[in-house]
Amino acid sequence: MVATSHDVMPDIELYQPADEATALDLASRLGNEGWLLGGGQDTYGWLKDRNKNPSAMIELTQIDAWKGITETVDGIEIGAVTTLTDIARDPLIQSRFGLLAEAAGIVASPQIRNVGTLGGNLIQDTRCWYYRRGLDCYRAGGNICYADSPEGLNREHALFGASRCVAVTPSDTAPALVALDATMVISSTSGQREIPAQDFFVGPDRDILNMTVLNEGEILTAVRIPNTWANAEFYFEKVADRNVWDFALVNVAAAFRTSGENIEDARIVCGAVECVPRRLQDVEAAIRGRSRSDSTANAVADMATAGARPLNYNNFKVPLMQNLVKRAIRG
Amino acid sequence: MNPKLTRRRFIKGVIASGAAATTTAAWYSATGQERPSGFVERLVRINVNGQVRNVDVEPQETLASTLRYKLGLTGTKLGCNRGECGACTVLVNDVPTYACSVLTHSFKNDRIETVEGLESANGDLHPVQQAFVEELAPQCGYCTPGQIMSAVGLLRENANPTRDEARHALAGNICRCGSYDSYLDGVMRAVELIG
Amino acid sequence: MAYMHIGKDFTPPDVPGKVTGRIKYAEDYTREGMVYARLLTSPIPHARVLDIDASEALAMDGVFGILTADDVYPDGEPQSTGLKILTNEPTLVGEPILALAAVDEKTAETAIAAISVTFERLPFVLDPLDSLAEGGGNAYPGDTNTFVFRQGFATEKWTADQVASFRAGNEPTAEPQQTVEYGDLEAAFAESTYVYEGTFTNAGYPHMSMEPRSALAYWENGKLYLHGGSQSLTAFADGIAGIIGVPKADLVFINEATGGGFGQRARAGSVPVYAVPAKLSQKINRPVMMRATREEEFTIGGARQGLTGWIKVGFKPDGVMAACDLWIVSDNGGKGGGADAFSAADCISVLYQTDAVRFRGTAIGTNTAHRGAQRGPGQNQIAPIISPIMDVAADELGVSRFDIRKINTPMTGDVGGPQRIPFTSAYMPEALEMAGNNLDGMNVNHVVVSKTAAKW
Ligand SMILES: Cc1cc2nc3c(=O)[nH]c(=O)nc-3n(C[C@H](O)[C@H](O)[C@H](O)COP(=O)(O)OP(=O)(O)OC[C@H]3O[C@@H](n4cnc5c(N)ncnc54)[C@H](O)[C@@H]3O)c2cc1C
Ligand code: SF4
Ligand code: FES
Ligand code: FES
């Protein structure tokens, strides 16, 4: 057994396909030995640590077809390799889907947002440090969970949906896209499929090794946002230890349609409380027909965290999540 | 897992499947394999501080390594080598970028600027540099080049930022000496100097 | 007399180089033929190295050699606390076991992964109270957990009841290693109308200067040229020469700029790792650059002492702090170091002009980062403890939170600490006044409370 602190990129091949067909072909041929590369902000840590050891990187950011924001008949389409900065600053997204602009604009730090892509932000792996450290936990194919052990440090871990693994989704944009009823467009050499954002993310009960439904050889090429929630009333808030760099302890993304005083429909989604963005459908149903007020918010606070199973060190997430949901409803 | 084993298994695998890859062009001519498209050439031309430089860049090499160890541009610092401090901030097409957390190969067609490229040809300091001197903004100075590059990036995009906008633009640059307010004073003074 | 600088605007000579990137930190130098070193560090908090097999690594292309504790200490490792250059008995995770030099960092990292080290695991401890309890693990070599000045390693234990009672919030009943006091404590408590009693714990956080502890070394004509960062060239050069074992006259220590010290780079003893490239360079006869990683800064870098204490403070009816009784168990980490606990008591004596103070303290090792000087040693640990106590006392006595600070603040001519040393100048009252004026219009008494309340 040895330990050394790695921080240098190891030997690895690099492919920079210039068109879609070449990228899809490489992804399919290299399989799990090829690592898809957006902005690399999640990737390089894994590689420098030598805790993931693929043989080649396939850089997707030279492919213009997968970049940019376009208006479609019933909404907008965002190329998967569009940077978070471009999304946060896009006038169309700002005016119509401010929720996503806000979420993208609060990720990590300005420099990371300048290169980090939407695809990478959605597909990034969990930040559980035992796993990141390269320990052989369930998610790494072993048969123990270090975080959910009597001495495990699990302040950042899950309240819901634990199934051997208690890691959470780290993404700030994922809850926003679930709230906006977005659709993921996935391509491979054998064609294209579309998956609702809500079904794109998977918990450990379904697949403990992967955080999304993507199979080997598949590439997320675009995200489509329908006009369903365009110009709705939005609320996004992220609570983290530091305003910059740190991942959410809990975040909330919400959208409301009101008529007069009353909520007609709503989407409320929390991140960092479960392995997948957690949509609070019971709360959404319970606030329909009520006003965006303290009394509505207070009435559903407990419901927001019903079924939560806190671990040794994350009890605080229960009131935190309740407060965020209340603030979202109150507006 | 032993990275070497994976690698060997991989190389064997792709040779069998006819899509070979390696780091040197020589390998292809030696083996007669056809090069798959999209594979990177090591010898690249990159535009740094207005000069086009020919450099031998490994596929996995970060921009910070190229700048510091191949081009001798040591003004770009490594504080963490992990995207968590900002000491390595450079501009790529005017956009502040962590040089430690990007690949040099990604920027073959782009304009890279480091702190060494800011002075004018006659040696005058860039207004941000001048303002940082006047405000005595640096303490230990290790984070300073990164702070400067973030500030220059901001001012190119927004010549008249509020202090709060400056705060957000410099938010990705840690200063362990805690000189944050002085750096913001520097940015606001630079705005005046540019006029 | 005309001063050269006071009262005048001037640009310190280091500033232009800092804004142009021209000033050089240790890692900015190169030397022809320079190779790069990386450390292999302990993955175990307390262990003994039984065997090192580096044959595969040494056979790799681009690898120039390794350096182990046996190379550095041919006559055996020094038997004292303090960081060693390299060790065969690590007492904390991340302690350097060996270094390897290669043509570049990537090759060095790859080669290190091919080295196999056989460790014997030894009992370890992370909490000084666990170590004080009978049967608890001991952090230091030879099954010891403390270091007595001029005597060496020792083992200190309390009864299980004594540890349990302290954990439960009571005044420790064990003999302290150190007691310092002044004034009549009993009388001062007797005069007090409000007495606060409680326990506290704080973590000892690391320095994390922006520049990692990187160094470059090479030998020329019998002289060692060493590039590294320090807080004082003159104070540092002596120490590092001693650690490396080179006569001071043969050491050229080059230190143009230092990317932050914060206490860790005041003394060479906190940065013996600079000796690694020096020794490795001597062994392989090439200039060696060793850049420390940020992660290594958390382990080979130091930290403050963590303090676990019991405190009792008495206030007179007008808010004057009459008495403070402080009992602190310090977490001295895996390598000893630091006298922060006493400084904490000293700080209370100075800042609040307490009539009588008693400090009792015991320092115990744990298998965590080494501890040492960090700006404001002790003062920074006690500030978050004593400040809320001042607020509680103010509220209890019906004095404003602002006034209770003003009443107790030191002034020119006052004295502080056990030696009752007089202050030649002190302007706290003026500073408080200015702060009060700037807070004009706000209810100063409730600033702290309403700020937090506003968040929710
Ligand atoms: C210091 C630091 C702080 C951070 N803080 C935050 C934070 O606060 N909030 C937050 O949400 N994130 C945070 N992150 C994560 C960062 O935002 C994401 O890592 C980044 O957005 C990922 O984008 P990328 O393009 O750089 O990803 P990459 O590293 O390129 O990719 C990430 C993963 O997605 C896969 N992938 C990428 N694109 C595609 C695609 N189109 N199709 C299929 N697979 C793909 C890659 O193979 C890889 O597995 C932080 C990261 C760092 C280093
Ligand atoms: S929470 Fe999941 S990722 Fe973390 S240690 Fe447990 S199994 Fe591994
Ligand atoms: S060195 Fe690049 S962000 Fe710290
Ligand atoms: S000036 Fe020292 S880190 Fe910023």
Side-chain angles (χ1 to χ4, degrees), chain A residues 74-75 95-98 180 225-234 255-257:
Chain A
D74 61 344
S95 72
R96 220 184 275 177
F97 301 106
L180 294 171
I225 308 179
N227 276 333
T228 325
W229 294 96
N231 301 308
E233 294 166 34
F234 295 127
F256 303 88
R257 287 273 185 221

Side-chain angles (χ1 to χ4, degrees), chain A residues 6-18 22 26 29-30 33-34 37 39-41 44-46 48-50 53-57 59 61-62 89 109-115 127 242 244-245, chain B residues 1 3 6-7 9-11 14 18-23 36-40 58-60 62 80-85 89 95-98 100-103 105-106 108 150 157 168-169 171-174:
Chain A
H6 297 299
D7 74 350
V8 176
M9 287 287 287
D11 274 326
I12 182 168
E13 313 294 348
L14 173 65
Y15 293 94
Q16 297 184 303
T22 314
L26 281 165
R29 275 206 279 170
L30 296 179
E33 285 298 337
L37 193 62
Q41 300 308 292
Y44 302 139
W46 278 121
K48 286 176 179 177
D49 282 335
R50 303 184 182 214
N53 299 293
S55 303
M57 297 180 281
E59 190 181 71
T61 47
Q62 314 276 342
R89 294 194 183 165
S109 75
Q111 289 92 324
I112 289 176
R113 296 193 292 273
N114 286 344
V115 293
R127 284 279 160 174
R242 298 177 297 177
V244 187
W245 279 293
Chain B
M1 198 199 311
T6 330
R7 200 175 142 77
R9 183 160 44 76
F10 163 69
I11 300 283
V14 286
T22 184
T23 46
S37 64
F39 181 74
V40 303
E58 293 182 87
Q60 86 293 344
T62 63
C80 70
N81 214 7
R82 280 186 172 273
E84 293 177 26
C85 76
T89 303
V95 176
T97 304
Y98 292 147
C100 74
S101 296
V102 291
L103 304 178
H105 276 279
S106 301
K108 283 174 288 205
S150 286
E157 193 196 347
H168 278 97
N173 293 77
I174 283 183

Side-chain angles (χ1 to χ4, degrees), chain C residues 322-385:
Chain C
C324 177
D325 198 4
L326 196 54
W327 217 125
I328 293 177
V329 174
S330 311
D331 181 344
N332 256 18
K335 294 288 159 192
D340 295 15
F342 169 68
S343 302
D346 204 36
C347 163
I348 292 177
S349 150
V350 168
L351 267 191
Y352 300 110
Q353 292 295 299
T354 323
D355 297 345
V357 171
R358 175 168 62 173
F359 165 74
R360 287 169 291 174
T362 286
I364 297 295
T366 60
N367 298 102
T368 60
H370 89 95
R371 311 301 166 137
Q374 188 176 121
R375 53 185 176 188
Q379 298 91 336
N380 275 311
Q381 288 101 314
I382 207 67
I385 309 304

